[in-house]
Amino acid sequence: MKKTAITLLLVVIGAGAEAQTMYDALRYSENNYEGTARTMAMGNAFTALGGDLGSVTINPAGSAVARYSQFTITPGVAISVNSSGGTSQDYFQTTYKTPMGKFSLPNIGFSVNFDTHRTSGIKNWALGFTVNKTNTYNNDLYTRGLNSTTTFSGALATFAAGILVDDLILTDSYDPYPDSRIPYDVILGYEAGIIQPPGETQIVDGNEVLKYPDTYIGVAENYDIINEGDAENEFISAGLPADASIEQIYSRRILGAKYDYVFNFGANVSDVVYFGANLGITSLNYSQEYYIREMSGGDASDYSMFQTKFNSLRYNNVYSASGVGVYGKFGIIVTPGNGLRLGAAIQTPTAMSIQERWSASAEMTTYDETYGNGDAETPESEYEYNLTSPFRFNVGAAYTFGDFAVISADYEMANYGGMFIHEANTNDNTQFETLNEDIRDFMGAQHMFRLGAEVRPASSFAIRAGYGLTTSPEKVEDEGGRLVYLQKLADKPGRTMSHRFSFGLGYSSSGSFFADLALQATRYADEYIYPYDYYYLDGENVFIDPTVNTPEILSRRWLINVALTLGFRF
């Protein structure tokens, strides 16, 4: 039987929820430190400072700076604010702002200090366990508008071109890795009635069969037969009806966080050199649900303009991932004198195990009794793979003005071209060869700059501020064009850097209690989202058709963290 060979790139594009991409590897490897209210307020520029449990994830040597034991807990609220709309007046014309607020716990931990009562050498050492949040994924997106050019059903029809109807009826039709390489969304769209072959039939060997068994029409499209009767030149032309438009809605909700569970050791050598080591366990959970909906009613065209009397369709995709990993981190802080402090830390690659789950559903309704209504859903699928994140290192310098003030600056770098995805429970990684090549080709170094300052106008009161800048690790735009349903592109106009601003206050009693308050606002890099693309068949390979003006959504996200640290020294 004839089957279209879908390239690996297009399997990734068409099945964005269940196939791994270099952006999944980046998402689960990146650190956007939170921690205690004090470290957050000072921009997490703590490589050379230490003395705070929020700094232990950044530099393990920081636990030995404090000459006391301590316990901290940091409840807070994470508020994501997303503004999204189309980049053209041809679709998604209105920009919608969607806020989302969630309870947060960016830090909890303790450190026990042991004094050796020596005047030189190891004067004190510390053991501790700290949990610090290293990423917040929460993001809610919604936008809508009218489209008079393209439709999701039409795009799905072009993706299915060349696949025989008989090949869409498979025993394991929703296996994300079937031998046929037929994308699950094509099968789902066909079973729900979102795409169907034209109804024309012909007699072959005395049997009535479909005349176009590998051509599909979207439920929101009309079609014509061009050059009918001319066997060599006859073809199907399909698209939105002339002068028609449809109303489109795109919505996406992301939830989740990444935490580092750190077992820490630190030591103080003569109040000049501090060194430390972490055994870190990374734990993450991530979930994403998106849907695209199209309607002919309301402000859109009347359903009677469509051959199918199209009313509405909805395509919904649910994806979740959880993971756990382990790494080591080693750090040092040196105080050469005169208020100067220098620090550095290096972190080994994190070996992670990622478990994914995904499912999808689709439905459509029409006012045509012949075409009817339809719906379909996939079973929940599971997949497990291993991810190795790259080395990272950070250096920092700080200067203290006695007990009155301190300023600090950090630089951190991780080369995400060193990420590697491989199969679980086997050393056969042929499935990920192309993906790992993409990571090497299109991912590079990410640079993080952090600044912080603290002023103490009174011994019990502190005012803090900070700033951070993070660059994009993406080198160039993938030649394949667009990663459908997801991802920012590095060379699109607009922001490709994330900016973080922070402010805070601190109170320290004469006894054991202290409290800190922080407000942190992060402006993430612009994200460009393509709900769907049109495709064309070239031989046995499917490629995105860049000549079709499909929707492009610009998403801009702020994440605002408000955190309150309550602590006790003992």
Side-chain angles (χ1 to χ4, degrees):
M1 288 189 298
K2 174 185 174 184
K3 293 185 179 181
T4 301
I6 306 296
T7 65
L8 180 60
L9 171 65
L10 264 296
V11 170
V12 171
I13 289 174
E18 90 293 346
Q20 295 72 40
T21 74
M22 61 183 178
Y23 294 100
D24 296 317
L26 176 63
R27 179 193 307 123
Y28 304 141
S29 299
E30 270 191 312
N31 281 346
N32 290 296
Y33 300 108
E34 293 183 24
T36 65
R38 184 178 181 224
T39 60
M40 291 169 66
M42 295 180 64
N44 284 301
F46 265 77
T47 299
L49 287 179
D52 189 288
L53 292 182
S55 72
V56 172
T57 308
I58 299 168
N59 188 344
S63 63
V65 173
R67 299 297 295 270
Y68 47 79
S69 302
Q70 57 180 315
F71 166 81
T72 61
I73 183 169
T74 308
V77 177
I79 304 170
S80 174
V81 181
N82 186 293
S83 297
S84 298
T87 61
S88 166
Q89 286 302 307
D90 293 337
Y91 38 72
F92 298 117
Q93 293 86 358
T94 303
T95 297
Y96 289 84
K97 183 174 291 186
T98 49
M100 174 201 290
K102 295 289 181 181
F103 171 78
S104 179
L105 187 69
N107 158 267
I108 185 172
F110 69 91
S111 180
V112 180
N113 182 77
F114 299 90
D115 195 335
T116 65
H117 303 291
R118 299 178 59 176
T119 58
S120 62
I122 298 181
K123 300 181 67 175
N124 65 281
W125 55 282
L127 290 175
F129 175 73
T130 304
V131 182
N132 286 323
K133 186 186 284 190
T134 52
N135 223 333
T136 297
Y137 300 122
N138 299 348
N139 189 8
D140 209 6
L141 180 158
Y142 177 92
T143 185
R144 67 190 299 164
L146 295 178
N147 189 332
S148 58
T149 307
T150 61
T151 168
F152 172 76
S153 66
L156 201 57
T158 66
F159 199 16
I163 303 174
L164 291 173
V165 171
D166 289 344
D167 293 340
L168 296 180
I169 306 172
L170 304 174
T171 302
D172 298 319
S173 59
Y174 294 117
D175 180 357
Y177 303 101
D179 293 337
S180 66
R181 290 291 180 185
I182 298 176
Y184 78 91
D185 45 1
V186 169
I187 300 168
L188 185 64
Y190 173 74
E191 293 192 347
I194 291 177
I195 59 173
Q196 292 291 325
E200 275 67 30
T201 61
Q202 60 184 356
I203 302 300
V204 177
D205 297 331
N207 297 314
E208 186 180 26
V209 298
L210 288 172
K211 190 174 184 179
Y212 304 98
D214 61 354
T215 301
Y216 299 86
I217 309 299
V219 66
E221 293 186 303
N222 288 356
Y223 74 93
D224 293 310
I225 303 176
I226 308 300
N227 300 322
E228 187 172 8
D230 184 346
E232 293 185 0
N233 298 308
E234 182 178 302
F235 67 96
I236 296 288
S237 175
L240 277 172
D243 301 322
S245 61
I246 56 172
E247 185 173 13
Q248 294 180 319
I249 296 175
Y250 180 83
S251 179
R252 185 188 69 184
R253 170 164 287 188
I254 296 174
L255 297 171
K258 182 162 75 79
Y259 282 90
D260 280 13
Y261 297 77
V262 172
F263 297 90
N264 169 261
F265 168 80
N268 167 15
V269 181
S270 301
D271 293 329
V272 176
V273 177
Y274 306 84
F275 64 89
N278 288 345
L279 172 63
I281 299 174
T282 293
S283 175
L284 67 88
N285 64 85
Y286 176 91
S287 66
Q288 173 184 269
E289 181 174 6
Y290 72 81
Y291 72 85
I292 182 166
R293 187 178 181 192
E294 296 183 335
M295 299 161 286
S296 64
D299 294 330
S301 302
D302 185 78
Y303 70 87
S304 62
M305 300 180 69
F306 299 85
Q307 291 171 345
T308 62
K309 295 183 173 56
F310 169 67
N311 178 38
S312 69
L313 70 81
R314 179 185 170 109
Y315 183 92
N316 192 78
N317 201 304
V318 179
Y319 165 87
S320 66
S322 60
V324 63
V326 62
Y327 66 88
K329 193 164 190 174
F330 309 92
I332 188 171
I333 296 174
V334 179
T335 56
N338 298 319
L340 180 64
R341 305 174 67 90
L342 303 173
I346 186 169
Q347 181 175 313
T348 69
T350 302
M352 301 187 70
S353 174
I354 307 293
Q355 296 80 38
E356 296 182 331
R357 292 179 174 84
W358 68 272
S359 62
S361 61
E363 61 183 33
M364 67 84 191
T365 62
T366 72
Y367 293 104
D368 186 280
E369 293 183 359
T370 301
Y371 201 95
N373 305 323
D375 62 84
E377 62 182 14
T378 71
E380 184 177 74
S381 296
E382 297 183 2
Y383 190 72
E384 180 177 355
Y385 63 95
N386 294 327
L387 165 66
T388 301
S389 67
F391 275 102
R392 63 174 64 243
F393 76 89
N394 49 291
V395 296
Y399 191 85
T400 59
F401 300 87
D403 295 330
F404 175 69
V406 61
I407 56 174
S408 182
D410 281 12
Y411 166 74
E412 182 168 332
M413 191 275 281
N415 184 1
Y416 290 102
M419 297 183 298
F420 187 77
I421 294 180
H422 45 104
E423 286 273 14
N425 306 316
T426 179
N427 60 1
D428 180 7
N429 294 315
T430 53
Q431 177 178 316
F432 294 114
E433 285 180 354
T434 301
L435 174 55
N436 287 319
E437 288 177 5
D438 285 345
I439 289 174
R440 291 191 295 270
D441 291 341
F442 301 122
M443 286 290 173
Q446 181 183 76
H447 307 281
M448 302 176 71
F449 303 91
R450 302 189 290 264
L451 300 172
E454 178 182 80
V455 176
R456 289 186 174 272
S459 60
S460 61
F461 181 68
I463 302 172
R464 304 172 180 126
Y467 170 74
L469 182 148
T470 302
T471 66
S472 170
E474 298 171 78
K475 292 179 183 177
V476 295
E477 179 179 337
D478 189 322
E479 293 178 359
R482 306 169 175 176
L483 298 180
V484 179
Y485 309 130
L486 306 176
Q487 307 309 343
K488 57 196 175 189
L489 299 177
D491 350 354
K492 295 295 293 186
R495 300 172 186 261
T496 58
M497 298 181 181
S498 297
H499 299 267
R500 176 170 284 183
F501 311 90
S502 53
F503 175 79
L505 302 173
Y507 168 76
S508 180
S509 72
S510 57
S512 63
F513 175 74
F514 63 95
D516 301 303
L517 180 67
L519 173 66
Q520 182 189 74
T522 305
R523 169 63 163 89
Y524 286 91
D526 289 346
E527 180 183 10
Y528 291 85
I529 300 168
Y530 302 91
Y532 58 84
D533 273 302
Y534 275 58
Y535 304 89
Y536 67 91
L537 192 64
D538 185 1
E540 290 190 336
N541 293 319
V542 178
F543 297 94
I544 291 171
D545 187 347
T547 65
V548 180
N549 183 26
T550 54
E552 178 184 68
I553 299 170
L554 172 57
S555 172
R556 290 175 169 160
R557 175 193 176 206
W558 280 90
L559 178 65
I560 301 169
N561 283 300
V562 180
L564 173 66
T565 295
L566 303 175
F568 298 90
R569 305 182 182 96
F570 54 94

